Amino acid sequence: MDFIVAEEGVPVSVGAYGAKIVYYGSEIVLNYETEPPMGDFIFSAKLPLLNREIPFWMYGRKLVFLDAYYVLVEMVEKKTWDPITTVIINIHTGKYASLEHWYNNVLIKENEIELKNDYDKKSMILKNVNNLKWI
């Protein structure tokens, strides 16, 4: 298992051995689950400081830590690899909110996050996480 210290806005990718990622006093541990036919590793995740397991699997590519609380990930239902949906997780509480679509391109700007899907051209501007439906 790799040990990674994440940086704000810098995408993190995790290899097949999994990883413990630390960020602003929080931790997220990714454990390898599977690899779909098109490649890229899929992981289960746990927030060990909260003793909370994330209820979905996530791809280990492009995990983007947005600030001291939030990480943006590509999720799938457990035991699947498709469809992919972008989700934001509060790593201090374990709550999460789906962005209802897969955005594979993330651009962090001063007061917003621009999300795009390079394949279907759908885009979204995220300015305030408080307006999301948190679970």
Side-chain angles (χ1 to χ4, degrees):
M1 179 172 286
D2 294 329
F3 181 80
I4 300 169
V5 178
E7 296 178 48
E8 184 175 323
V10 178
V12 173
S13 291
V14 178
Y17 294 111
K20 175 188 266 191
I21 305 170
V22 295
Y23 184 72
Y24 281 103
S26 284
E27 297 177 358
I28 185 167
V29 176
L30 278 63
N31 292 301
Y32 175 85
E33 292 292 342
T34 191
E35 182 177 355
M38 65 274 198
D40 295 320
F41 304 115
I42 297 178
F43 300 88
S44 57
K46 185 172 184 176
L47 299 169
L49 298 176
L50 299 174
N51 196 28
R52 180 171 279 166
E53 192 170 319
I54 302 295
F56 47 81
W57 285 354
M58 63 182 70
Y59 277 84
R61 62 185 180 215
K62 296 183 190 170
L63 284 80
V64 180
F65 290 82
L66 303 175
D67 65 9
Y69 292 92
Y70 303 106
V71 61
L72 204 59
V73 303
E74 298 173 330
M75 70 77 74
V76 292
E77 296 296 326
K78 288 183 176 182
K79 301 184 189 269
T80 68
W81 57 71
D82 192 42
I84 302 169
T85 305
T86 301
V87 173
I88 187 168
I89 302 170
N90 182 322
I91 56 177
H92 288 272
T93 66
K95 292 184 178 184
Y96 60 93
S98 173
L99 300 184
E100 307 294 331
H101 195 70
W102 174 43
Y103 300 101
N104 64 316
N105 191 327
V106 178
L107 179 61
I108 299 174
K109 297 182 177 179
E110 188 169 330
N111 293 318
E112 65 187 30
I113 301 165
E114 185 177 332
L115 302 137
K116 293 181 184 177
N117 180 300
D118 292 333
Y119 304 101
D120 67 9
K121 306 301 181 204
K122 186 167 180 167
S123 65
M124 173 184 184
I125 302 293
L126 182 62
K127 292 184 179 187
N128 186 345
V129 297
N130 295 325
N131 296 334
L132 298 173
K133 181 181 173 189
W134 290 94
I135 299 170

